[in-house]
Amino acid sequence: MAVAKGASLNHVSRESSDVRRLANFYKEIFGFEEIESPNFGEFKVIWLNLPQAFSLHLIERSPTTKLPEGPYSAASPVLDPSHLPRGHHICFSVSNFDSFVQTLKDKGIETFQRSVPGRPIRQVFFFDPDGNGLEVASRDE
């Protein structure tokens, strides 16, 4: 399994109606580790950590929330990674890009790949189970 590395932020939070499902996805795909999280009583939280990178806080979504799960969730009319807009995703780097992309394909995750013209950067875009956009980049030198 490829492990994502290096990020320039401390933590990101996501709401989900199924925090366990989302936690399992990030642990399996990126190698996040589940860490101790506080008990808030009225809602569940799961905190995940990517060593040497950042933490991901998964927060149980309030049942009164009327918005879709993620900005481009399964409830959205278009769930196409080739149309993931700038600024609406989290980006990771991996040590073995080709192996990571193959893992996504083996798991049946729909992806969109591209290379940055004139630069040694390859990217793959995809969604987590709640429709949050993800990018994984490799800077092949």
Side-chain angles (χ1 to χ4, degrees):
M1 167 178 48
V3 176
K5 60 182 179 176
S8 60
L9 45 108
N10 292 326
H11 78 274
V12 171
S13 62
R14 294 280 187 240
E15 279 192 332
S16 178
S17 57
D18 189 345
V19 292
R20 175 55 50 205
R21 175 194 63 183
L22 206 54
N24 289 342
F25 172 85
Y26 281 95
K27 287 165 43 177
E28 182 178 346
I29 298 298
F30 290 105
F32 275 87
E33 298 171 353
E34 195 164 330
I35 59 175
E36 187 176 347
S37 56
N39 180 353
F40 290 105
E42 70 240 24
F43 58 92
K44 293 180 196 171
V45 297
I46 297 176
W47 286 3
L48 302 174
N49 184 54
L50 193 57
Q52 311 299 314
F54 73 100
S55 296
L56 181 60
H57 297 175
L58 303 175
I59 303 164
E60 184 177 48
R61 187 176 179 81
S62 169
T64 61
T65 301
K66 302 281 190 237
L67 299 172
E69 276 299 315
Y72 303 94
S73 69
S76 178
V78 177
L79 188 59
D80 180 353
S82 68
H83 297 297
L84 197 132
R86 290 188 310 219
H88 291 280
H89 63 280
I90 302 171
C91 180
F92 298 92
S93 294
V94 293
S95 56
N96 188 332
F97 184 81
D98 294 324
S99 175
F100 184 83
V101 171
Q102 187 59 51
T103 297
L104 295 175
K105 289 179 181 179
D106 291 348
K107 294 182 180 305
I109 297 172
E110 186 177 345
T111 64
F112 170 73
Q113 292 183 61
R114 66 173 232 156
S115 295
V116 178
R119 301 194 61 205
I121 300 171
R122 295 184 295 159
Q123 301 164 299
V124 61
F125 298 91
F126 57 103
F127 294 98
D128 72 15
D130 281 354
N132 296 300
L134 301 167
E135 171 191 350
V136 171
S138 173
R139 287 167 173 72
D140 299 327
E141 308 271 346

